[in-house]
Amino acid sequence: MDWNHIGKTIMHFSPAAIALSTTLALVSSAGFAQSEHVPTPQSAALVADGQAAESAGDLEAAFGLYVSALAYDPLNANAYVEMGDVAYAQQLYGSAIRYYSRAIELDPSDPKAIAGQGTAYVAKGAMERAQANLQKLKLKSLKRKQQRQKLRKKKNLRRRQLKKLLLLQMKRAKRLLKKR
């Protein structure tokens, strides 16, 4: 994805272009490492129940379940992201921004929180902040790509080393068989 082109497009087009770019950046950055905090089982279950309620269109019940999830685990960033989604769906963009911001405080690498916050900024008309969020997503996507490349290089090196070791062991085995 050509980020320079997207950046130029954002500067020349409407808020819809910013929202679309933020969404594209989110999709291209899927798979980011999550924070090391693991929500309690009760909190995670309540978030899952809230997502089901949200999918069914019951935003009030979903919000209540997310609040309950936070009672069990106040560090559950996903609950804040989901609360941001509910607030956004209710066109409470300021509240959505606050919930996404709290999620980002808890897990700075959460692309869904960053993208949600950026989309809420667009809805509120804060284009500069939305562009800043897009820049964060671009940077995180680039870092993730670099991490994957580094990991690939390590794996390839390990494969070559294992192959050499295997060949060496095979040669030793042949020598031992010849001696017998």
Side-chain angles (χ1 to χ4, degrees):
M1 185 173 281
D2 182 9
W3 293 110
N4 291 329
H5 177 68
I6 290 174
K8 290 177 185 173
T9 303
I10 287 172
M11 295 177 74
H12 291 92
F13 289 101
S14 68
I18 293 175
L20 178 62
S21 296
T22 303
T23 302
L24 290 173
L26 172 63
V27 170
S28 71
S29 64
F32 281 165
Q34 296 296 312
S35 76
E36 292 185 26
H37 175 74
V38 177
T40 65
Q42 299 93 339
S43 182
L46 286 165
V47 168
D49 291 345
Q51 290 167 329
E54 190 174 349
S55 293
D58 192 351
L59 298 180
E60 287 182 31
F63 192 84
L65 288 163
Y66 300 141
V67 170
S68 296
L70 290 172
Y72 280 99
D73 183 358
L75 300 179
N76 186 342
N78 193 36
Y80 284 105
V81 171
E82 296 300 334
M83 290 170 73
D85 290 349
V86 169
Y88 185 87
Q90 294 173 328
Q91 299 181 349
L92 302 171
Y93 305 122
S95 294
I97 290 167
R98 282 191 301 280
Y99 294 129
Y100 291 130
S101 296
R102 180 64 179 135
I104 292 168
E105 287 173 15
L106 294 170
D107 183 2
S109 68
D110 186 341
K112 187 176 177 189
I114 295 168
Q117 186 184 52
T119 305
Y121 280 140
V122 169
K124 198 149 170 80
M127 299 308 163
E128 288 180 14
R129 288 185 172 186
Q131 285 178 316
N133 275 44
L134 180 59
Q135 292 300 323
K136 285 180 195 176
L137 284 171
K138 285 188 220 179
L139 181 61
K140 289 182 185 308
S141 179
L142 178 62
K143 285 181 181 180
R144 182 67 179 155
K145 182 179 178 182
Q146 291 170 342
Q147 289 172 344
R148 284 191 308 259
Q149 288 173 342
K150 190 176 180 179
L151 182 60
R152 227 182 334 248
K153 286 180 183 179
K154 282 183 178 181
K155 285 181 179 180
N156 288 337
L157 177 62
R158 285 185 194 142
R159 284 185 190 129
R160 287 192 306 270
Q161 289 172 338
L162 286 172
K163 189 176 179 179
K164 285 180 183 179
L165 182 60
L166 183 60
L167 288 173
L168 181 62
Q169 288 177 345
M170 288 175 60
K171 286 179 184 180
R172 286 181 185 161
K174 283 182 183 180
R175 275 190 244 137
L176 287 174
L177 287 174
K178 284 182 184 180
K179 287 183 182 180
R180 290 185 180 187

